[in-house]
Amino acid sequence: MTNDLQKVLILDFGSQYTQLIARTVREMKVYCEIHPFNMSFEGIKKYNPAAVIFSGGPCSVYEEGAPGITKEIFELGVPVLGICYGMQLITSLFGGKVASGVKKEYGQCNMEILSESRLFKGLDKNNTVLMSHGDAIEVLPEGYRVTAKSGNTPYCAIENEEKNVWAIQFHPEVVQTVNGEKILANFVFNIANIRSDWNMDNFIKMKTEEIRETTGDKKVILGLSGGVDSSVAAVLIHRAIGKNLKCIFVNNGVLRLNEAQKVVQLFKGHYDIDLTYVDAGNEFLGKLKGVEDPEKKRKIIGHQFIEVFDREAKKFHDAAFLAQGTLYPDVIESVSFKGPSDVIKSHHNVGGLPEKMNLKLLEPFRELFKDEVREIGSKLGMPDEIIHRQPFPGPGLAVRIIGEVTPERVKVLQLADDIVVAEIKKAGLYHKLWQAFAVLLPIKTVGVMGDLRTYESVCAIRAVESRDAMTAKWAEIPYETLDIISKRIINEVSGINRVVYDISSKPPATIEWE
């Protein structure tokens, strides 16, 4: 990052919504990072934030071992905003009292603004906000005033303008808080006076120069999947170092219909990128034979990919770097905060390879969210079909084939899924949906085609609307479109005689079936 870039620091106390705070701030064209609550004060000073936000969290401030922070943060001279647990922590630090609430407060409720506050500039007196707390403030810390209340919470928002501290009990980062973005914008712009100068044009220029300086005349290997992250990374790195980038594209046998040909044509043909295509479909499908458990499928595909990729990469003896399309959410989820936040998963695009191959990692997008990477792809002139394509699971169609994965079942699902995507695009729905795809079920049902009785597989259609995949609502696809999809699949795909539509949302269901 450039030295003159103004940055927001988000200290995470374990909230499930912390990433949403960062996304919302980034969408304001303001740079921010999430760090664990126990980040050292020296580290905080080195980061040099223009403002600090404390996230929510699952703990109670009065519990033994509850996560805390040093009061030195408040001596930095920058505004501090505490959200939910962050508000209770501020209260506790400055002599107030927090206790288990007699009445809990979960879900949407009305917040009434009681007095003028820079945090609520431009808002009406009554606002819908999302609450998620069982504890409540009983005694305000000295020097703080209350600026808003709700039905069960007399201290919904407090502040001490002299100390540059603001705190709210609700979550402004979620869509259920109607004016949440405006409240965060008031903190960032009206209170912290931060410039909106984080943009992808500057990032491309800065990152291109950084890649050249980092790699010098050394070779870089990149595992190209055809997805958004690795594709945009390939084009950006190629722009920086040209033929010193070597891409390897592994066909694992469970890709979408004609995916391999499209990737090779685009990157080898159009972009003139040095691309090695490896058709390893038979190897992968051989390893998957007889396997039905979804986690075993994932592990088999992950391990097999490492073996194939490593084998091909060894042919480039002078390579010094392994490039990956790692995103900021991947980085956040891979870090244990050794406190209230559980490790969600260990996430690596090509897990285990850097150590195995003795290569240095090159991750140009590790500070970025998906939307920012899409914007980079657009500015680099990449086709819309690549940069705005819907998410596709790493294990591919293997986790959309419920039960055993066989070459025959892969072919059936490829054809059905291609019809779903084609008709969703034709109906003008593709970019309105987070994902739309077909799932092949391990059951057969009786059908009639002509005068013949059939006994064939069932195909499920899954389509959801979402902002970030943390939650998702099943999409109300027009009946006419569903009818066309169903008729085409049954008429054109041999092996399917029944189509059903999945109307479950996340939670409780996940987006993918496995």
Side-chain angles (χ1 to χ4, degrees):
M1 299 299 109
T2 56
N3 292 330
D4 60 343
L5 184 67
Q6 291 183 299
K7 300 171 288 188
V8 173
L9 171 64
I10 301 168
L11 293 179
D12 183 18
F13 291 88
S15 171
Q16 60 182 318
Y17 303 129
T18 304
Q19 284 193 36
L20 297 183
I21 303 172
R23 280 181 59 109
T24 305
V25 173
R26 289 279 187 94
E27 286 167 0
M28 300 173 196
K29 304 300 181 187
V30 172
Y31 186 74
C32 65
E33 286 183 13
I34 299 171
H35 286 271
F37 70 90
N38 53 6
M39 182 182 188
S40 70
F41 185 62
E42 287 305 312
I44 292 172
K45 286 197 296 184
K46 186 176 180 181
Y47 181 79
N48 190 28
V52 179
I53 298 176
F54 299 161
S55 82
C59 296
S60 295
V61 294
Y62 49 79
E63 291 176 345
E64 185 177 348
I69 43 102
T70 172
K71 273 190 174 182
E72 291 176 296
I73 290 176
F74 299 93
E75 297 170 8
L76 290 172
V78 301
V80 175
L81 172 66
I83 297 173
C84 198
Y85 180 88
M87 173 182 183
Q88 295 166 9
L89 180 62
I90 289 169
T91 299
S92 181
L93 279 171
F94 289 99
K97 184 180 179 183
V98 178
S100 179
V102 177
K103 294 181 179 179
K104 314 299 182 185
E105 202 165 28
Y106 296 98
Q108 286 182 309
C109 67
N110 179 65
M111 176 188 74
E112 180 186 347
I113 297 175
L114 302 174
S115 60
E116 188 174 327
S117 169
R118 284 196 282 162
L119 193 63
F120 299 137
K121 183 180 179 181
L123 270 64
D124 294 331
K125 183 177 181 181
N126 291 290
N127 291 267
T128 299
V129 300
L130 181 80
M131 291 284 196
S132 182
H133 66 103
D135 294 335
I137 296 172
E138 288 190 346
V139 180
L140 276 182
E142 187 178 345
Y144 283 74
R145 69 185 184 97
V146 60
T147 56
K149 70 175 184 177
S150 69
N152 287 345
T153 305
Y155 305 121
C156 192
I158 63 174
E159 64 184 54
N160 186 325
E161 192 154 0
E162 185 181 340
K163 290 184 180 292
N164 229 358
V165 180
W166 281 257
I168 51 180
Q169 186 58 68
F170 58 92
H171 288 275
E173 68 271 27
V174 298
V175 294
Q176 291 91 338
T177 296
V178 176
N179 287 311
E181 289 184 19
K182 193 166 187 177
I183 292 168
L184 285 173
N186 279 337
F187 175 72
V188 170
F189 298 123
N190 296 336
I191 294 173
N193 296 312
I194 295 175
R195 297 185 303 271
S196 184
D197 56 5
W198 169 248
N199 65 74
M200 294 304 102
D201 286 316
N202 290 341
F203 179 88
I204 291 172
K205 181 180 179 182
M206 176 193 72
K207 192 58 65 172
T208 301
E209 294 171 357
E210 183 183 301
I211 291 169
R212 287 183 187 135
E213 291 175 6
T214 301
T215 62
D217 59 354
K218 302 288 194 304
K219 298 288 193 297
V220 177
I221 296 175
L222 182 145
L224 186 64
S225 69
V228 177
D229 310 330
S230 67
S231 296
V232 178
V235 173
L236 179 66
I237 296 170
H238 182 254
R239 172 184 174 134
I241 62 175
K243 288 298 181 180
N244 277 344
L245 172 66
K246 309 292 181 182
C247 290
I248 300 174
F249 174 55
V250 178
N251 183 350
N252 60 13
V254 283
L255 301 176
R256 286 166 283 205
L257 188 67
N258 300 323
E259 176 82 357
Q261 297 93 310
K262 290 177 182 176
V263 170
V264 172
Q265 182 180 0
L266 177 65
F267 290 93
K268 199 168 187 174
H270 179 74
Y271 285 109
D272 193 30
I273 288 176
D274 189 340
L275 174 65
T276 298
Y277 169 62
V278 185
D279 187 356
N282 291 336
E283 290 183 52
F284 280 84
L285 292 172
K287 296 284 186 180
L288 290 168
K289 187 175 181 179
V291 178
E292 296 186 3
D293 181 79
E295 280 307 304
K296 287 184 180 177
K297 290 182 192 176
R298 290 177 182 274
K299 287 178 180 177
I300 288 170
I301 290 172
H303 291 156
Q304 189 61 25
F305 180 85
I306 289 175
E307 292 302 313
V308 174
F309 190 90
D310 183 42
R311 184 178 68 212
E312 294 299 321
K314 282 178 178 175
K315 298 175 183 178
F316 300 105
H317 305 290
D318 51 353
F321 293 88
L322 175 69
Q324 295 185 167
T326 309
L327 301 187
Y328 194 43
D330 304 336
V331 175
I332 298 167
E333 291 182 355
S334 298
V335 176
S336 171
F337 291 169
K338 298 189 175 92
S341 180
D342 292 330
V343 180
I344 300 171
K345 62 184 174 182
S346 176
H347 187 116
H348 295 287
N349 291 33
V350 193
L353 275 174
E355 297 84 2
K356 186 180 179 76
M357 297 166 59
N358 196 29
L359 298 177
K360 295 177 183 176
L361 268 180
L362 184 67
E363 298 174 309
F365 301 149
R366 64 180 288 113
E367 304 119 333
L368 304 184
F369 286 96
K370 176 79 77 173
D371 291 346
E372 293 170 319
V373 174
R374 293 189 197 279
E375 186 180 346
I376 288 173
S378 179
K379 290 183 179 298
L380 292 174
M382 296 181 66
D384 188 72
E385 185 180 351
I386 289 288
I387 60 175
H388 290 294
R389 75 188 319 177
Q390 294 177 354
F392 187 66
L397 298 179
V399 291
R400 292 179 180 173
I401 296 174
I402 312 302
E404 185 182 6
V405 180
T406 66
E408 296 75 23
R409 298 189 79 202
V410 170
K411 187 62 178 177
V412 168
L413 184 56
Q414 283 179 331
L415 294 170
D417 187 70
D418 192 61
I419 290 171
V420 172
V421 174
E423 292 302 329
I424 289 294
K425 287 181 176 179
K426 192 179 294 184
L429 300 171
Y430 187 80
H431 295 306
K432 297 177 182 178
L433 300 174
W434 179 264
Q435 277 176 276
F437 55 88
V439 180
L440 190 62
L441 305 188
I443 56 174
K444 292 186 176 183
T445 63
V446 173
V448 178
M449 291 187 179
D451 295 323
L452 297 177
R453 174 185 181 276
T454 62
Y455 189 59
E456 295 179 331
S457 297
V458 179
C459 174
I461 307 302
R462 180 70 159 147
V464 297
E465 298 171 347
S466 180
R467 185 170 181 263
D468 47 37
M470 295 178 71
T471 60
K473 180 188 179 300
W474 65 273
E476 297 181 34
I477 303 296
Y479 291 151
E480 295 82 358
T481 302
L482 290 174
D483 185 48
I484 293 171
I485 290 172
S486 176
K487 285 177 179 175
R488 281 199 61 193
I489 289 176
I490 292 172
N491 289 330
E492 298 175 29
V493 182
S494 178
I496 295 175
N497 68 357
R498 190 178 300 269
V499 174
V500 298
Y501 189 57
D502 181 350
I503 58 168
S504 48
S505 293
K506 176 186 179 181
T510 53
I511 295 176
E512 296 288 347
W513 277 45
E514 287 191 342

